[in-house]
Amino acid sequence: GALVYQYPRRTICKSGTSMRMECQAVGFQATSVAWYRQSPQKTFELIALSTVNSAIKYEQNFTQEKFPISHPNLSFSSMTVLNAYLEDRGLYLCGATTGDERLFFGHGTKLSVL
Amino acid sequence: AQKVIQVWSTTSRQEGEKLTLDCSYKTSQVLYHLFWYKHLLSGEMVLLIRQMPSTIAIERSGRYSVVFQKSRKSISLVISTLQPDDSGKYFCALWEPNSAGNKLTFGIGTRVLVRP
């Protein structure tokens, strides 16, 4: 079956520092990876969509300078939250797709910022 | 403006009852898909239903069904014979193709509590 491993599950970082989260697709080729954030009391917002061999498309309010993403092959993607502050806390979710419309999600990375 | 609207943020029912979760959406696309996900406390996002333009895929067998009213841009998730394990947060999501790739937009989610 298709699985997505996302790690770390939880992380705490000091304000102004950076943290990186990773997403591993198992059992399928992740041609596209979407990164979402769920801030407290909010729904999941799309940060960016990354497709192998294409430019990464960031949504409004999210930038590459703040959330750099790497998607080097069909099984791995990572995203870094640079200079994290209180407003960056939340649950970050990666979703990987083979190219059909289903997204297989990781368990999420819960980010707390002190 | 919200593209995916789930009116109820929280609801509770008794075990054994039937629950209908409403979702409406806005899109100008012709080829779009709709999804219902259940977000577990563990963080896992479980795909329940995938509604395509003219067919439906039940991704998780069980007591799930949908009422899809395309002309009204509405899709409701129906869970029959509720069990305590059905407690969780349910998200409706709209998938739209665009030039940058597939985009999935989530509703705000409805938290469901099933009382034994």
Side-chain angles (χ1 to χ4, degrees):
Chain A
L3 293 172
V4 174
Y5 292 106
Q6 185 175 349
Y7 38 89
R9 295 284 293 270
R10 292 175 180 271
T11 187
I12 302 171
C13 67
K14 289 179 70 172
S15 185
T17 63
S18 302
M19 69 81 53
R20 173 179 144 124
M21 57 195 80
E22 300 180 344
C23 197
Q24 184 91 34
V26 177
F28 69 104
Q29 294 185 322
T31 52
S32 293
V33 174
W35 287 93
Y36 289 84
R37 178 174 74 186
Q38 185 189 34
S39 300
Q41 311 304 321
K42 290 188 176 180
T43 189
F44 290 96
E45 295 177 277
L46 179 63
I47 296 171
L49 182 66
S50 169
T51 302
V52 171
N53 298 325
S54 293
I56 298 170
K57 177 73 168 64
Y58 286 84
E59 291 292 292
Q60 199 173 13
N61 301 325
F62 297 98
T63 65
Q64 184 182 6
E65 290 70 32
K66 175 71 174 176
F67 300 97
I69 289 170
S70 171
H71 189 183
N73 56 52
L74 292 171
S75 64
F76 181 82
S77 178
S78 67
M79 184 177 76
T80 302
V81 181
L82 293 175
N83 300 318
Y85 289 99
L86 202 60
E87 59 264 27
D88 295 318
R89 65 197 164 123
L91 178 69
Y92 290 80
L93 206 61
C94 74
T97 178
T98 58
D100 68 6
E101 301 75 25
R102 290 177 298 170
L103 251 62
F104 298 99
F105 288 99
H107 278 58
T109 297
K110 187 169 182 181
L111 172 64
S112 300
V113 181
L114 301 177
Chain B
Q2 287 182 52
K3 289 183 77 81
V4 181
I5 301 153
Q6 292 178 254
V7 176
W8 302 106
S9 58
T10 307
T11 188
S12 67
R13 290 289 188 279
Q14 204 71 36
E15 184 176 0
E17 291 183 339
K18 183 173 81 171
L19 172 66
T20 300
L21 299 175
D22 295 323
C23 174
S24 59
Y25 57 93
K26 297 175 184 175
T27 182
S28 57
Q29 300 278 350
V30 175
L31 293 176
Y32 60 88
H33 293 214
L34 295 154
F35 299 86
W36 276 100
Y37 285 92
K38 182 181 178 184
H39 191 216
L40 305 180
L41 283 176
S42 65
E44 188 178 358
M45 195 71 130
V46 179
L47 176 61
L48 303 174
I49 298 268
R50 179 162 62 123
Q51 175 70 57
M52 293 157 280
S54 54
T55 59
I56 184 172
I58 309 289
E59 299 287 344
R60 279 281 169 137
S61 62
R63 295 163 284 103
Y64 304 110
S65 61
V66 295
V67 177
F68 180 41
Q69 298 177 289
K70 196 170 181 179
S71 60
R72 296 181 61 189
K73 290 194 168 61
S74 159
I75 182 165
S76 299
L77 176 70
V78 181
I79 310 174
S80 61
T81 322
L82 283 168
Q83 297 170 3
D85 271 354
D86 292 321
S87 296
K89 195 158 188 179
Y90 291 79
F91 287 90
C92 175
L94 168 69
W95 173 87
E96 298 171 286
N98 61 52
S99 56
N102 307 334
K103 182 172 178 179
L104 193 66
T105 304
F106 288 91
I108 201 158
T110 300
R111 186 168 297 286
V112 173
L113 174 64
V114 180
R115 302 186 302 271

